[in-house]
Amino acid sequence: MPDPRSRRRSLALAAGCAAVVALLAATPLAWFALSDAALLDRPAAMDQPYTSLVPTGEDYYLIRQLKAQNAAFLSVYGSRYGTPAAEGTAAGEDPLLYTASGQNQGEMIWDAWTMYEYLTDLLDQLYTAGVLDDIWCSVGKALLEHNGERVYYSNDSLGFTRISVFPEESEYNPCLMVVVESRTNKLVTLWMDFGTEYGRPGTPPDPAVCLPAWTRFNELDGLGDWAPPAGTDFEESGLYSARGGVLMTCAAGNAWGDTERTWLCLHLGVREEF
């Protein structure tokens, strides 16, 4: 028969072991609870304060392509509006690295139907976005409708597409021309040149309205620093982004030759500084 005292000692020992095990199990939980309370009770320490990212031109594919085009063009032609030097390029540059888009009928591809539809849709988009008002959009469509059989296009080697509508009397001077970046489908240049038979728009587009709408249309408003370049020739007709290194302009006017003509030019180009 078991000794009652031995049984009591065994029970006491078992109870003591259980208490120790329970204490050990609770210790990590208590430590974590105390640690969490301490962390929540004081602000987290940071080695460096948070600063927001400032966008630059490198963050936008369209601007990267514009800068690549500008650099390539200058390497071949020496200046934005010059002709190739005798050697063809700057030292060490290969003229075959960049091919500009054609500018007259003989250098472009005829595509009256597809490009007609594309230009019609683009004019509607520019109107919806507020870049063009209803009058200028209507003039653009009238130019297209009256000369729709003479729509041509050409691509440069960086993917910029030039689409030109030539009047019957000229194969060198388009009455309507756009340049778009083919991957993003964003407008880089819009040119209209027309006589009074296509209408008289009256007032040119207001750059204060047209240009901010254009930055949004091209999804470049995120640069955040678009402003008229004060003290320059573009103060009344342009918006400049120093972060992007680009300038957009809106200009219009009248010209008199054999007939009175009206012209409009929207252009987005590289301008690193003034």
Side-chain angles (χ1 to χ4, degrees):
M1 181 173 180
D3 184 0
R5 289 178 297 179
S6 176
R7 178 179 178 81
R8 286 196 295 272
R9 283 197 300 270
S10 297
L11 291 174
L13 181 60
C17 290
V20 171
V21 170
L23 178 64
L24 292 175
T27 299
L29 297 177
W31 169 254
F32 292 140
L34 289 172
S35 298
D36 290 345
L39 288 173
L40 292 173
D41 193 46
R42 69 173 189 271
M46 299 181 65
D47 294 334
Q48 295 180 349
Y50 171 78
T51 56
S52 61
L53 294 176
V54 177
T56 69
E58 292 303 309
D59 296 312
Y60 295 86
Y61 178 81
L62 174 61
I63 295 179
R64 293 200 303 271
Q65 288 298 93
L66 280 172
K67 291 184 176 182
Q69 183 198 52
N70 186 67
F73 194 101
L74 293 178
S75 74
V76 175
Y77 291 92
S79 71
R80 195 62 193 167
Y81 304 103
T83 56
E87 296 81 5
T89 67
E93 297 288 346
D94 183 351
L96 297 180
L97 288 178
Y98 177 72
T99 303
S101 58
Q103 298 193 37
N104 58 61
Q105 286 186 19
E107 299 171 338
M108 305 178 78
I109 300 169
W110 178 77
D111 190 342
W113 176 250
T114 303
M115 293 304 168
Y116 182 101
E117 293 294 316
Y118 176 83
L119 287 177
T120 300
D121 183 61
L122 179 61
L123 289 169
D124 285 336
Q125 291 182 46
L126 294 174
Y127 167 68
T128 301
V131 181
L132 297 178
D133 62 25
D134 56 345
I135 297 176
W136 283 92
C137 180
S138 297
V139 169
K141 288 186 175 181
L143 290 170
L144 186 57
E145 181 179 353
H146 284 80
N147 303 282
E149 294 297 320
R150 292 176 294 279
V151 184
Y152 294 75
Y153 78 94
S154 178
N155 297 310
D156 78 353
S157 54
L158 283 171
F160 288 90
T161 301
R162 180 190 299 267
I163 309 170
S164 297
V165 182
F166 293 95
E168 187 174 5
E169 65 272 15
S170 176
E171 62 180 85
Y172 299 100
N173 301 307
C175 57
L176 174 63
M177 185 271 291
V178 303
V179 177
V180 295
E181 199 287 312
S182 57
R183 177 175 170 181
T184 60
N185 199 33
K186 301 306 182 184
L187 178 71
V188 174
T189 301
L190 168 65
W191 167 260
M192 294 186 194
D193 179 8
F194 54 93
T196 55
E197 67 271 23
Y198 296 105
R200 303 176 66 92
T203 58
D206 182 359
V209 175
C210 168
L211 294 179
W214 191 12
T215 64
R216 293 189 294 270
F217 179 80
N218 277 356
E219 298 181 318
L220 298 178
D221 48 317
L223 285 166
D225 68 336
W226 290 100
T232 73
D233 294 339
F234 305 102
E235 184 173 4
E236 302 295 328
S237 62
L239 283 182
Y240 177 64
S241 169
R243 292 175 183 170
V246 286
L247 171 72
M248 56 170 45
T249 56
C250 169
N254 296 308
W256 286 267
D258 296 335
T259 60
E260 181 184 350
R261 305 191 66 80
T262 301
W263 58 271
L264 166 68
C265 182
L266 304 181
H267 183 67
L268 172 66
V270 174
R271 184 78 184 230
E272 296 292 351
E273 61 183 15
F274 279 96

